[in-house]
């Protein structure tokens, strides 16, 4: 290759090792790269990784693959990883938000770092092994176990939902709260309670529900069938629960949004598949995954990544309207 480019072997090494800036002219760099293309050169990644002490492999741990949210997180992380020559191994923890089993056992040395989404950092003790760099997504930013966190502004999303409903005139609100003990759902509940409670004459109740359409339906039926004044709005912790709430309303003969308004969280494909389309908070899962991978790469480069908070947007659609007149 050096002979074809008309340069020394040392120059070829600098160019192929991306150590040429300030040492080799751009014209010479292009000559070396052209020679590499003509000769069909491909770098030996295994040898390079052995020399650098890196595998360029990252583990992405998610609670489950039952919703498209985590698939989108993976898509965002993998795209950034590929741009930097990293591979991503996806691991859905069988225990959800609980302690994750070690998928590699003694093969921890095959990983450069870990990204974990929507989990507690102490659930990853086994996976982390001997001090692997850890970046947490959609998780408690005060958890000292993570070197960096990437979060969506979940509290602002809950506030936007509350302000939307209160602005329409709703004063009786029920929260279908995910029956999962995790940071993200605690934040939603707290922000919603603060926003609704800040307006005189409002009433907010909460009903726990498992994260499925069927559990959402059952929880909504319990809320809507109780004696006394019925809530005029159901705030659901995700779009799957909201789909269940819509089913419950229809089974009880209620029209959406004329008799009851329903909101979700996530903006999954499901949000526009239901009729009427669902008012929900858009969470950019791909952006979360991408930001998490950038933070981990920064960490592996010996720098200190900043904690990141990404904005969210309320998308008003047909499932919300002013409450019915009493």
């Amino acid at each position: 290759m050096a002979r074809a480019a008309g340069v020394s072997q040392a120059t070829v090494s600098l160019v192929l090792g991306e150590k040429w800036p300030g040492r080799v002219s751009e014209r010479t760099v292009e000559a070396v790269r052209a020679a590499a293309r003509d000769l069909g050169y491909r770098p030996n990644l295994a040898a390079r990784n052995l020399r650098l002490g890196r595998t360029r492999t990252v583990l992405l741990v998610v609670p489950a693959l039952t919703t498209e949210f985590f698939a989108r997180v993976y898509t965002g992380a993998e795209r950034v990883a590929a741009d930097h020559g990293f591979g991503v191994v996806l691991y859905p923890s069988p225990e959800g938000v609980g302690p994750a089993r070690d998928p590699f056992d003694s093969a921890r040395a095959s990983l450069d770092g870990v990204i974990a989404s929507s989990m507690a950092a102490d659930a990853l003790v086994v996976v982390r092994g001997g001090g692997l760099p850890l970046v947490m997504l959609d998780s408690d930013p005060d958890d000292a176990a993570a070197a960096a966190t990437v979060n969506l502004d979940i509290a602002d999303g809950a506030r936007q939902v509350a302000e939307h409903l209160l602005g329409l005139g709703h004063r009786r609100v029920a929260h279908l709260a995910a029956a999962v003990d995790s940071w993200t759902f605690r934040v939603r509940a707290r922000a919603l309670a603060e926003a609704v409670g800040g307006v005189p004459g409002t009433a907010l109740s909460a009903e726990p529900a498992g994260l499925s359409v069927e559990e959402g339906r059952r929880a909504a039926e319990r809320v809507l069938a109780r004696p006394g004044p019925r809530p005029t709005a159901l705030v659901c912790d995700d779009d799957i629960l909201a789909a269940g709430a819509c089913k419950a309303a229809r089974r009880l003969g209620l029209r959406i949004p004329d008799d009851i308004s329903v909101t979700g969280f996530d903006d999954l494909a499901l949000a526009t598949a239901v009729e009427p389309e669902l008012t929900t908070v858009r969470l950019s899962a791909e952006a979360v995954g991408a930001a998490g991978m950038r933070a981990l790469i920064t960490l592996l480069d010996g720098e200190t990544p900043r904690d990141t908070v990404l904005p969210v947007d309320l998308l008003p659609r047909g499932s919300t309207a002013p409450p019915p007149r009493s």
Side-chain angles (χ1 to χ4, degrees), residues 60-63 69-70 73 115-119 136-139 288:
L60 174 61
V61 184
V62 298
F69 180 85
F70 297 113
V73 169
I115 302 174
S117 180
S118 309
M119 300 179 72
M136 301 294 295
L137 315 179
D138 193 31
S139 303
V288 172

Side-chain angles (χ1 to χ4, degrees), residues 61-262:
V61 184
V62 298
L65 290 178
T66 53
T67 77
E68 69 192 69
F69 180 85
F70 297 113
R72 291 179 180 178
V73 169
Y74 170 80
T75 298
E78 194 279 332
R79 184 176 297 127
V80 172
D83 289 343
H84 290 81
F86 280 78
V88 181
V89 176
L90 179 63
Y91 179 66
S93 171
E95 283 77 27
V97 297
R101 290 200 299 264
D102 184 353
F104 293 104
D105 195 15
S106 62
R108 295 186 190 95
S110 65
L111 299 171
D112 283 341
V114 177
I115 302 174
S117 180
S118 309
M119 300 179 72
D122 58 9
L124 299 160
V125 173
V126 176
V127 176
R128 291 181 68 201
L132 284 174
L134 173 65
V135 172
M136 301 294 295
L137 315 179
D138 193 31
S139 303
D140 189 351
D142 294 327
D143 197 325
T149 58
V150 175
N151 285 316
L152 293 149
D153 198 342
I154 295 296
D156 184 56
R159 285 191 292 267
Q160 289 186 50
V161 169
E163 290 169 2
H164 172 69
L165 293 173
L166 293 169
L168 290 172
H170 292 275
R171 293 298 180 267
R172 297 192 303 276
V173 179
H175 178 203
L176 265 59
V180 177
D181 184 21
S182 70
W183 173 85
T184 186
F185 293 123
R186 290 193 296 270
V187 168
R188 297 173 206 208
R190 184 167 57 248
L192 180 66
E194 290 174 353
V196 173
V199 175
T202 59
L204 175 67
S205 61
E207 183 69 21
L211 288 176
S212 70
V213 173
E214 182 63 16
E215 290 299 317
R217 179 189 66 78
R218 291 175 181 173
E221 286 180 349
R222 290 194 297 269
V223 169
L224 296 174
R226 283 173 183 158
R230 188 173 60 216
T232 61
L234 298 176
V235 176
C236 305
D237 266 348
D238 75 356
D239 294 344
I240 294 174
L241 287 179
C246 291
K247 289 185 69 173
R250 286 192 295 271
R251 289 191 181 190
L252 294 171
L254 301 175
R255 297 166 299 166
I256 302 170
D258 303 298
D259 301 316
I260 185 85
S261 288
V262 179

